Amino acid sequence: MKRKIDNYLQQWRFGKDKKPLLIGGARQVGKTYSIRQFGKCYDTFIEINFVTHPAYKSIFVDGYDVDGIVKQITFINPNAKFVPDNTLIFFDELQEYPDCATSLKFFKEDGRYDVICSGSMMGLNYRDITSNSVGYKNEVTMYSLDFEEYLWALGFDENVAENLLEHMVNIRPFNELEIKRLEGLFLDYATTGGMPEIVSHFVNNGNFSDILAMQRQLLSDYEEDIVKYAVGLDKAKIRSVYRNIPVFLAKENKKFQITKLAPHARSREYAGCIDWLRDAGIVNVCHCLHVPELPLKGNYEESKYKLYYHDSGLLIASLDDESSDDLRQNRNLGVYKGAIYENTVAEALTKQCYELYYYAREDGRLEMDFFVRDSQTLIPVEVKATDGATPSLNNLIKSDAYPDISWGVKLCRNNIGYNGRFYTIPYFCTFLLRKWLQQRQIV
């Protein structure tokens, strides 16, 4: 299964001033598979998994000198070969032995071997190490498949995104056949999600058989990770937050409210729970802006936020059986329609490296789902589950009170268009939003 990180890894290998690479991300988004495939490009690929082979934790017993580490690896595995300038060492499940990160400085200075570290819970532990090779490593986060990668998995040409982007840049509507086909594919994608094993199962079988069971097993696996890795925090409270995400997304304003999780629940009692889920890659956090203006960083309220699943398929799996069956059998999104579309948009924006922000005025008269920006402009992004009016979007654009906003985006099930105030963009193009902003012609 082709992934976007494949090209990144090739560029990393032959880049100037190459540093050891740390690849983070949630459980089962495809990190290990992609690194193993990349490892085939080398004469020698050494994989060290600290979970399945804990004996490798002893390779640093004599310190972090590279020759000493190599010696200890070959003591455990005499068949391991190290070819200078053509060997990739892969330290997997780094969260089980985060002190390994200290060695990256020494591998960078030595320069003979390429090194990649990965782990599902990597972001939770290794930052706490006294010497974690700051300045001697590069970090990247891997996500589940975006819609473009999903289309590749279905057999679409690698240039499919360029065709969609051309429609967006030139404000050229899709024909009826195109938009019907793409809308159907996108709804399939929102239903299955982008977890590689699930997508592969769906593509190979051509139907949703066993998909729900696989998704719910993932939800269970994440809860097991909470029990295993949430050190020093109330694990029951983290699970409570995690399990209640769909409850709040189904509400009108979708804001997550700690005080409604349990009788007498207080935000201070859940301190760290949201951060833990975010750092584990399990949820995407969307903060409420103080005021819809630039800059965005620091301009938000810590106590007001929405929580989204990192993969829309997991939101679908978290619904009750009746809602899940109705969606798969009848294509009926029901009361979760707004939640599902918002979650897919939040997911797509996160995968484009956007931080998530929304706005909700205290009196409820002005709300906006998301914001992005270009070099000079703040851009409101409204998510419309139905073809209704857009009073908040129009007010933000027209009002002199928001000088950083001059136009907006409406994501919906309609075709591409522009009315002089905002662009209408189909949901299936959301994954191209950043590229479109970079290429957009001023109308």
Side-chain angles (χ1 to χ4, degrees), residues 70-116:
V70 169
K71 178 181 177 181
Q72 293 298 326
I73 291 174
T74 56
F75 179 77
I76 298 173
N77 178 12
N79 295 320
K81 305 295 181 183
F82 290 83
V83 180
D85 301 318
N86 216 324
T87 294
L88 176 63
I89 304 172
F90 173 32
F91 294 113
D92 200 8
E93 302 295 356
L94 184 67
Q95 75 279 355
E96 289 293 323
Y97 195 72
D99 281 336
C100 173
T102 303
S103 70
L104 302 185
K105 173 182 177 180
F106 299 88
F107 277 107
K108 171 64 176 72
E109 292 176 337
D110 181 273
R112 285 175 292 170
Y113 312 115
D114 291 351
V115 177
I116 296 179

Side-chain angles (χ1 to χ4, degrees), residues 209-357:
S209 176
D210 299 324
I211 295 295
L212 180 59
M214 295 172 70
Q215 291 170 328
R216 287 184 171 170
Q217 181 59 53
L218 267 175
L219 290 172
S220 178
D221 291 342
Y222 287 141
E223 291 204 16
E224 288 183 11
D225 286 338
I226 292 171
V227 173
K228 184 175 181 180
Y229 294 109
V231 179
L233 294 172
D234 189 320
K235 299 173 183 181
K237 286 185 170 62
I238 298 177
R239 285 199 301 268
S240 178
V241 170
Y242 183 57
R243 291 172 179 173
N244 279 281
I245 292 174
V247 175
F248 291 98
L249 288 182
K251 296 182 182 300
E252 181 71 21
N253 63 14
K254 299 179 175 59
K255 185 177 75 170
F256 197 91
Q257 294 176 279
I258 294 292
T259 55
K260 294 186 178 181
L261 287 181
H264 311 297
R266 296 292 181 267
S267 296
R268 64 178 180 274
E269 297 169 354
Y270 287 76
C273 294
I274 308 302
D275 291 341
W276 192 96
L277 290 167
R278 181 199 61 213
D279 291 345
I282 295 174
V283 303
N284 296 321
V285 183
C286 185
H287 294 286
C288 183
L289 293 174
H290 285 297
V291 184
E293 65 182 20
L294 297 174
L296 293 173
K297 285 192 175 181
N299 175 27
Y300 62 85
E301 301 181 52
E302 290 279 358
S303 61
K304 294 183 180 180
Y305 50 83
K306 300 178 185 179
L307 297 182
Y308 300 99
Y309 282 102
H310 79 92
D311 184 87
S312 61
L314 300 184
L315 171 61
I316 301 294
S318 71
L319 306 182
D320 57 76
D321 289 340
E322 292 75 17
S323 295
S324 183
D325 290 342
D326 197 17
L327 170 61
R328 287 175 169 81
Q329 295 171 13
N330 306 314
R331 296 304 226 200
N332 179 24
L333 303 182
V335 298
Y336 291 99
K337 181 183 296 184
I340 292 169
Y341 282 126
E342 274 198 35
N343 203 101
T344 58
V345 171
E347 179 186 347
L349 293 178
T350 299
K351 290 175 179 178
Q352 294 170 78
C353 299
Y354 282 112
E355 294 186 27
L356 303 181
Y357 301 97

Side-chain angles (χ1 to χ4, degrees), residues 149-167:
E149 292 172 310
Y150 177 79
L151 293 176
W152 292 345
L154 292 175
F156 280 74
D157 187 272
E158 291 187 11
N159 296 321
V160 61
E162 293 303 316
N163 178 52
L164 299 182
L165 184 60
E166 188 272 335
H167 277 269

Side-chain angles (χ1 to χ4, degrees), residues 164-173 416 436 439 441:
L164 299 182
L165 184 60
E166 188 272 335
H167 277 269
M168 297 171 69
V169 171
N170 295 299
I171 321 176
R172 181 165 62 87
I416 286 177
W436 171 68
Q439 299 184 29
Q441 297 176 356

Side-chain angles (χ1 to χ4, degrees), residues 185-200:
L185 290 171
F186 185 77
L187 189 54
D188 284 345
Y189 168 70
T191 304
T192 62
M195 302 302 278
E197 183 181 7
I198 294 173
V199 172
S200 179

